[in-house]
Amino acid sequence: MWFLAGQSGGSDDIGIYGDDNRIQPVATLHHLRQQASQQNGRPNASLADFIAPRDSNVADYIGGFAVTTGLGAAEFAKEFEAQHDDYNSIMVALASRLAEAFAERMHERVRKEFWPYASDENLSNEALIKEEYRGIRPAPGYPACPDHTEKGTLFELLGAESKANIELTDSFAMLPAASVSGWYFSHPESRYFGIGKVNKDQVESLAERKDMPVSTLERWLALC
């Protein structure tokens, strides 16, 4: 699914809008920016950089996805374990690999069919493994977006629980465990990166933007 989006006035937030007027966001995605000096003069990155500013008059979009191959997998695994069938128990555990493959296939369809900004893409398996395609699909809780709580906004926008039968636990883990979720960015300069060390002033700024106690956000960022 994709949403009309706009970077909020030079900040590291991305507004999600319900119509082309983009006046009042229906949701806001909050991101962090790298602080350490980068090699080769590369600027410090934030995922918000890959979305056009709201006041630029560019109708930009961000995609969201949540996929699973694990429905019923836990029950199957328990059955095999009870039968001391280690081989099939391990085979069921491969559902997590299938989920990753599912996410890769969906991203390919976004690039070539749904948006489609790379309809003529024709990459070898080696090139796909090296992620030489245009666009990225970062996930909340990973290096470019270390705040796990952003997964709640993603799931609410997607209706992931009702549409895909994927639930979030109190710790923002996904059930079934063989599930993958994240965002689609199509900007030609979008790339994967790590935020790195998050300083106290960044935590305080992010907590203010999210209207969340600093201590709570520190726990989610594993900074305590």
Side-chain angles (χ1 to χ4, degrees):
M1 182 179 292
W2 44 94
F3 311 95
L4 188 64
Q7 184 186 14
S8 300
S11 76
D12 294 325
D13 290 344
I14 299 172
I16 304 297
Y17 299 90
D19 56 53
D20 289 334
N21 293 324
R22 291 189 294 169
I23 296 174
Q24 184 64 37
V26 298
T28 302
L29 314 180
H30 306 281
H31 295 291
L32 289 163
R33 182 173 297 278
Q34 294 173 316
Q35 297 298 304
S37 297
Q38 305 301 307
Q39 296 180 346
N40 302 320
R42 176 176 282 183
N44 290 347
S46 166
L47 287 176
D49 296 341
F50 306 135
I51 296 293
R54 185 178 67 85
D55 58 3
S56 67
N57 295 320
V58 174
D60 207 351
Y61 296 84
I62 187 171
F65 70 95
V67 299
T68 186
T69 58
L71 298 174
E75 291 76 9
F76 271 123
K78 288 180 180 178
E79 290 180 12
F80 290 130
E81 289 171 3
Q83 299 167 15
H84 304 289
D85 187 342
D86 294 336
Y87 175 79
N88 280 309
S89 180
I90 292 172
M91 292 301 292
V92 171
L94 292 176
S96 62
R97 297 297 87 203
L98 290 175
E100 292 288 351
F102 190 4
E104 181 72 35
R105 172 57 176 155
M106 288 303 298
H107 194 191
E108 180 182 40
R109 295 194 67 190
V110 166
R111 300 191 303 271
K112 299 173 70 172
E113 300 175 40
F114 301 142
W115 273 359
Y117 59 84
S119 58
D120 59 348
E121 177 186 298
N122 185 23
L123 300 176
S124 65
N125 285 334
E126 182 179 1
L128 289 171
I129 291 171
K130 292 181 179 179
E131 298 172 341
E132 294 181 0
Y133 44 74
R134 171 181 159 183
I136 58 175
R137 56 173 191 278
Y142 280 75
C145 181
D147 180 7
H148 286 273
T149 67
E150 288 294 298
K151 203 177 296 177
T153 305
L154 170 62
F155 269 54
E156 184 176 349
L157 288 168
L158 292 174
E161 184 171 348
S162 61
K163 294 179 180 178
N165 292 322
I166 308 173
E167 300 178 9
L168 287 179
T169 68
D170 291 340
S171 60
F172 290 95
M174 290 179 287
L175 292 177
S179 302
V180 183
S181 64
W183 304 105
Y184 292 130
F185 291 84
S186 63
H187 194 290
E189 296 181 14
S190 60
R191 58 184 175 83
Y192 293 106
F193 59 89
I195 292 296
K197 180 177 174 57
V198 180
N199 298 319
K200 185 71 173 184
D201 60 332
Q202 288 180 280
V203 179
E204 293 173 346
S205 172
L206 183 60
E208 182 178 359
R209 285 186 277 143
K210 293 173 70 74
D211 192 23
M212 178 182 293
V214 172
S215 59
T216 301
L217 185 57
E218 283 180 329
R219 186 177 76 250
W220 289 118
L221 291 172
L223 296 179
C224 295

